[in-house]
Each structure stands twice: as structure tokens, then as C-alpha cells.
Amino acid sequence: MPNADNWQGDVLRDMRGTPPPQRAQSHGAAPGHHPAPEQQQPPQEQPKPHTGARAPVPNTPASPPAPATPPARTRRPARSPDSRPVVDSALSGTARRPRQGEPAAARVSRAVRRIVSSSAAREVAEITRTAERIQQPVTTGRQIAVTSIRGGAGKTTVAALLGTAYAHYRQDPVLLVEADPALGSLPLRLGAETLRWTTADLADIVEPQMSLLDVTGYLVQLPDNAWLLPGSQGRIGAMLDTAAYERVMVALRRYFGVTVVDCETLPAEVARVALSAAQARVLAAPATLDGITSTYAVLQWMQGLPRHMIAGTVVALTSTAPRPGIDVEAAAEKLRSTGATVHVLPHDRHLAAGGALRTELLARPTRLAATRLAAEVFQLSQKRR
């Protein structure tokens, strides 16, 4: 289990299955250390002079050995759910081959401009600075909640981009939690094949004495040291109450450096709890007139809340079409006037397809924008305990 002295080191050591190092003591053995039974030697009896009389035998029976304290046992669930595929086999064949985020002509033109303008060095320097911001150490796990005003705003896509960026740049474990149990698509976006345990299931299982290896046994492993906790198994009517959500998030926070939560749309109860408990919040909004109008109204409402709420909120303005119907930069400036931070995610053909996220297929502007967004959100989360 992680401790307060070397939290990240203990977590990584627990994942590798190596025992923690023994601390050297200035005098004698470490506190609480006892030699193994085969190493304990009985005291040597000193020979006594023979006097011709038998020595009296003390009439004190030997005390029985104290019973050994059994190790703490991890509670096991009474029912083990069956694994279910993320995509039904009858539907998996309908997906087309994933496309590149931008056409080939645009990629070639961008590469030529980078060579002619010598902007490659500046771009590398910017990426290095952004990566350093994401890689900052944490003393306790950071929780980042992602939500939206309505469906179709790109909320799950933003959560998947954030989780993928943190898993790529950070060395400690990263967790993605689906707190949208009705029809959440986070497992599909992250390329998971099967689902078994859900957030509601883990709320009845997790206990303080569990190790990281115990916990990850109930999660879906992803690339780059990341794990996924699904919200449901794709069934209609799945529910997640606030008590179960709080129990899971409090218990898992100490195992993972960063946790990204894909919440329900506002004003769902679990989403409100997640937003208030998180160290940073991301509000996904489509770059449309109605999306900007709704988001601006919510930000105005947040201005009446404690200052840290809107100061720790980032709006991810996603372009749903190659040519948006609004002036995106002007809309972003209007949203910034409320005190929130705004980042624009450009249109990307690969993201628009709605399948599994593959970072190598993302357009270069999308990768850069997503990395900047991840750095900004993580920086804000560091300002809150």
C-alpha cells in the first residue's frame, strides 16, 4: 500500500511486485523485526557443580505460544459478473477502416511549410515545455471531471484525449472512470474489447487494505500504464448513486496519480458531486451557436459559486465540422470573459468517426491542442488540494 513518504515510488513498486526496501537503523535490527524460527538459538545452559543432591524443579508450566495474527483478507464479491463485449459481434463488422485525422494533401502541405519556415524547432520546444507541465509530481491523486451541457458535445472524446495524454507523459498510474452508466461510450473510445466489473460493483468490493495489484484486477488495462473503470456493461437502465461514486473515488484516489472522470451531462446528481469534488473541471462544448449560448449561460451561473469553481474550469470548444457556423475565436473570447479558461479543439476526421481513439491517426493540430489542454487542466488541478 502506498505511504505518505514515497507515494509514487510505492505505487510503482507495487505494480512491479517487488518488496519495499528495508530502512537501515542506526542500532540493532529494524523495529518489529524478529529472526526466523530456524535462526533463533536456545540459550546455552551453564554447567553446574555436582553436589550429590538433585536440584529442585520449578513448578511453573510453560506458557503456550501466542496465536499468530492472521493477515488481513481482501473481501471478495459474492457474485462475479460475466464479461461482455464492448461492441456486439453483429455490429463490429459495420465499422469502416479508421481514417487519418486530416487529408493527405493537408499533411503534405503542413510538412512543407514546417521545413520552409523552420518552425520544427519551435514546435519541439513547445512540446517539451508542455510535457514538463504534465509530468509534475503530485503528493495526492488529482481528479479531473469532464462533463457537458447536453449529449453530442464531445465530452467522452475529451475525456479519452485527456486520459491518453496523461498516460503517455506521466510515469505513475492513470485511471479513467466512466460515471455515465446509462449509455456511456468511454470503453469504446479507449479501445476496450470486453467489460466485466463496473463502478457500482467496485463500490462494494474496494477496501483500505487492498494493494494496487488487488485493485487493478477489477479494472480494464489500457496501454501506457492506464486503467479503465467502466460505468456499466452497456445495459439500459444502469444506475450509479452518489454514495457508491464517492466511496469508489475516495478509495481509489491514493493509487493513481491522475484520475479522469467522464461524467453524466449536467445537471445530473453524480455529475454535480464529481464537479464539486474534483481538483479541476472540463466543460465540453460544441462550436455551434446553441452550444456557445448554453455554455455561456452555465458559466454565468458558475460566477455566483465560490471563486475556485470557475477558476478551475476549462472549456473544451470542439469543432464538429470542418467549417464551423460561428467565429470560433470570437466565441472563445466571449467565454473567457466569464473567468474560465478556453481551449479550442480543431475538427478531426478520425475523432468525428466515433470509433476507438488511435493517437497515431490524429491530425497534428489535434494532438498539439489536446496536449495543451491536458497541461492546462493538470496545472489548474495542482492549485487545489
Side-chain angles (χ1 to χ4, degrees):
M1 293 174 55
N3 58 49
D5 296 333
N6 189 9
W7 176 82
Q8 290 174 306
D10 283 347
V11 167
L12 295 175
R13 189 184 308 111
D14 195 3
M15 291 180 55
R16 292 192 295 264
T18 56
Q22 298 289 338
R23 292 188 177 182
Q25 300 292 326
S26 57
H27 299 286
H33 174 75
H34 300 281
E38 62 271 17
Q39 295 176 343
Q40 295 177 348
Q41 300 295 333
Q44 297 294 332
E45 185 178 356
Q46 298 296 331
K48 297 180 180 180
H50 180 71
T51 59
R54 178 174 298 180
V57 179
N59 192 20
T60 55
S63 58
T69 303
R73 297 179 62 86
T74 302
R75 179 172 54 181
R76 297 302 178 188
R79 179 189 63 84
S80 178
D82 297 328
S83 297
R84 292 173 59 91
V86 174
V87 180
D88 190 272
S89 57
L91 300 175
S92 58
T94 61
R96 293 182 176 178
R97 183 179 179 181
R99 295 199 302 172
Q100 289 280 349
E102 58 183 349
R107 298 197 303 272
V108 172
S109 175
R110 189 182 309 281
V112 171
R113 289 198 304 269
R114 290 177 65 219
I115 295 174
V116 173
S117 62
S118 301
S119 62
R122 293 193 301 270
E123 186 176 296
V124 170
E126 179 188 358
I127 294 175
T128 302
R129 290 192 299 268
T130 304
E132 290 175 351
R133 297 171 63 190
I134 298 177
Q135 293 168 349
Q136 292 180 5
V138 296
T139 54
T140 57
R142 304 286 89 186
Q143 295 182 4
I144 298 168
V146 183
T147 188
S148 62
I149 308 303
R150 57 179 176 81
K155 167 180 64 69
T156 300
T157 299
V158 171
L161 287 172
L162 289 176
T164 302
Y166 294 135
H168 176 73
Y169 285 104
R170 297 188 61 82
Q171 296 297 320
D172 47 10
V174 173
L175 176 65
L176 291 99
V177 177
E178 185 181 44
D180 188 0
L183 282 176
S185 58
L186 186 60
L188 174 62
R189 271 308 207 187
L190 294 173
E193 297 181 356
T194 59
L195 304 177
R196 190 173 184 183
W197 305 96
T198 66
T199 307
D201 295 328
L202 199 59
D204 298 328
I205 298 172
V206 65
E207 289 185 346
Q209 70 268 21
M210 294 177 70
S211 68
L212 177 64
L213 295 179
D214 293 330
V215 171
T216 55
Y218 298 99
L219 306 177
V220 179
Q221 187 168 7
L222 302 172
D224 290 332
N225 203 23
W227 280 267
L228 165 68
L229 178 58
S232 70
Q233 290 187 326
R235 294 188 175 96
I236 301 296
M239 300 297 293
L240 177 63
D241 59 86
T242 57
Y245 173 81
E246 291 176 344
R247 190 158 59 247
V248 167
M249 296 305 292
V250 170
L252 297 184
R253 179 177 176 178
R254 61 194 179 93
Y255 297 102
F256 299 92
V258 179
T259 299
V260 179
V261 185
D262 181 18
C263 302
E264 296 175 289
T265 56
L266 291 172
E269 184 178 1
V270 174
R272 295 200 303 268
V273 172
L275 290 174
S276 61
Q279 284 79 35
R281 290 150 293 279
V282 179
L283 189 60
T288 59
L289 183 59
D290 58 339
I292 294 295
T293 303
S294 301
T295 304
Y296 185 68
V298 170
L299 294 176
Q300 286 182 312
W301 169 76
M302 291 180 67
Q303 287 179 318
L305 300 177
R307 174 63 185 169
H308 73 270
M309 290 294 293
I310 196 166
T313 299
V314 179
V315 177
L317 197 56
T318 58
S319 299
T320 58
R323 294 179 176 272
I326 62 171
D327 186 339
V328 177
E329 291 301 327
E333 285 300 323
K334 185 64 176 179
L335 297 178
R336 291 190 185 101
S337 66
T338 62
T341 306
V342 181
H343 279 261
V344 178
L345 292 176
H347 175 73
D348 191 286
R349 297 191 310 176
H350 176 61
L351 294 179
L357 174 62
R358 293 175 54 181
T359 54
E360 72 274 12
L361 296 181
L362 292 175
R364 191 170 189 84
T366 305
R367 290 200 300 269
L368 296 176
T371 307
R372 295 191 200 101
L373 173 64
E376 183 74 32
V377 175
F378 181 75
Q379 199 79 7
L380 291 177
S381 71
Q382 291 282 64
K383 299 179 181 180
R384 292 287 300 171
R385 293 188 178 273

